[in-house]
Amino acid sequence: MTSLVRGLAVIQAFSRETSSMTISQISQKTGIPRAAVRRCLYTLRALGFADTEDGRRYVLRPRILALGHAYLGSIPLTRIAQPLLRRISNALNESCSIAILDGDDIVYIARASVSRIMTIDLHVGSRLPAAFTSMGRVLLAYRPNELEERLARVGFGAFTPNTIKDAAALRAEIARVRESGYAIIDQELELGLRSIAVPIMASDGTAFAALNVGVHASRMSTAEMIEKILPLLRQAAAELSLCVG
């Protein structure tokens, strides 16, 4: 299984910032010996997952998406949710998303987008720090037994002047989220961005996923979000919770 572990590490070494790398760069980033990186890339090229145009710098090929699609296709939630996301997005003319918790991040697994309101391009597979997102806080709120361990790992660098800056304040906000059943982020992750999220509950009382809508701050106040968006999200989350079981 060492070869599999190394192959996956090589794949994960590529990113938006490092979309093209040499064997030496991949070796340095992953800690895998260059000879082993070369063997991994040879296999990935043979399978159509990677390629090189100049024999020196390597890139991933579109076929790598099949790995992610296999996972997304195996989750009934993503298939069931897409029509609901489009319905909410069309009704509000705002983007609507579903994410799950993966480590200390949230990962987007479904999205209906009508506008780009963040400087980063959000799409299925995007990751954001759970502690500073509305969906992340909803998911953390329904994992009370894990909360202290997760808070200990949070890095409190300020994304904006509004970002929560310490564990005590974050703990209090997550307690409020658990009590109210929804989370609002008001320009904490990025200036100009507000978002509201609710949990999608499993039958065991845990939050399987989270559902949110993001808006530009100039278009809607937090009070208006609670009035106009929260009922739609709660209705959709209740429907999806029934499907998740």
Side-chain angles (χ1 to χ4, degrees):
M1 290 292 101
T2 300
S3 296
L4 175 60
V5 171
R6 286 176 169 175
L8 293 173
V10 167
I11 290 172
Q12 293 177 87
F14 291 90
S15 67
R16 183 186 297 274
E17 293 75 25
T18 55
S19 60
S20 172
M21 289 187 289
T22 65
I23 288 173
S24 294
Q25 288 171 331
I26 297 171
S27 175
Q28 184 176 12
K29 189 170 183 179
T30 61
I32 300 171
R34 282 182 292 179
V37 170
R38 185 176 292 106
R39 290 194 297 271
C40 289
L41 289 169
Y42 178 85
T43 301
L44 291 171
R45 285 190 71 192
L47 294 173
F49 291 128
D51 204 357
T52 177
E53 293 183 357
D54 60 5
R56 182 171 175 271
R57 301 191 71 85
Y58 289 82
V59 297
L60 296 180
R61 300 294 299 156
R63 190 176 181 187
I64 204 76
L65 294 172
L67 300 178
H69 288 161
Y71 169 69
L72 292 173
S74 70
I75 306 178
L77 178 63
T78 60
R79 296 193 298 271
I80 297 165
Q82 203 60 48
L84 281 174
L85 294 184
R86 285 196 294 268
R87 186 181 74 194
I88 295 171
S89 182
N90 291 338
L92 298 170
N93 195 32
E94 304 288 356
S95 297
C96 186
S97 309
I98 291 178
I100 59 173
L101 198 60
D102 182 30
D104 295 324
D105 296 335
I106 59 165
V107 179
Y108 284 69
I109 63 170
R111 181 166 168 82
S113 180
V114 295
S115 61
R116 182 174 171 180
I117 59 175
M118 297 184 72
T119 55
I120 57 173
D121 183 18
L122 291 177
H123 50 79
V124 171
S126 290
R127 304 176 73 94
L128 291 173
F132 303 105
T133 61
S134 60
M135 288 191 285
R137 287 183 185 169
V138 162
L139 292 167
L140 293 174
Y142 289 89
R143 287 170 168 79
N145 295 335
E146 305 171 16
L147 184 57
E148 291 306 316
E149 180 182 348
R150 291 181 180 277
L151 287 178
R153 296 195 297 265
V154 174
F156 287 93
F159 294 98
T160 78
N162 296 338
T163 306
I164 284 180
K165 296 176 177 62
D166 59 72
L170 181 56
R171 187 183 296 108
E173 177 59 19
I174 290 173
R176 189 207 64 76
V177 170
R178 186 160 54 245
E179 182 178 350
S180 65
Y182 69 90
I184 286 185
I185 295 289
D186 187 2
Q187 305 183 79
E188 286 190 49
L189 187 62
E190 183 170 313
L191 289 175
L193 172 68
R194 291 185 175 126
S195 66
I196 183 169
V198 298
I200 300 171
M201 304 299 292
S203 57
D204 63 358
T206 61
F208 174 81
L211 172 67
N212 96 328
V213 166
V215 305
H216 197 279
S218 64
R219 294 203 293 264
M220 196 175 296
S221 67
T222 56
E224 289 174 311
M225 293 174 74
I226 293 170
E227 179 186 353
K228 297 178 181 179
I229 300 177
L230 184 57
L232 293 177
L233 289 181
R234 281 180 163 162
Q235 180 182 354
E239 293 180 40
L240 293 171
S241 293
L242 291 175
C243 298
V244 172

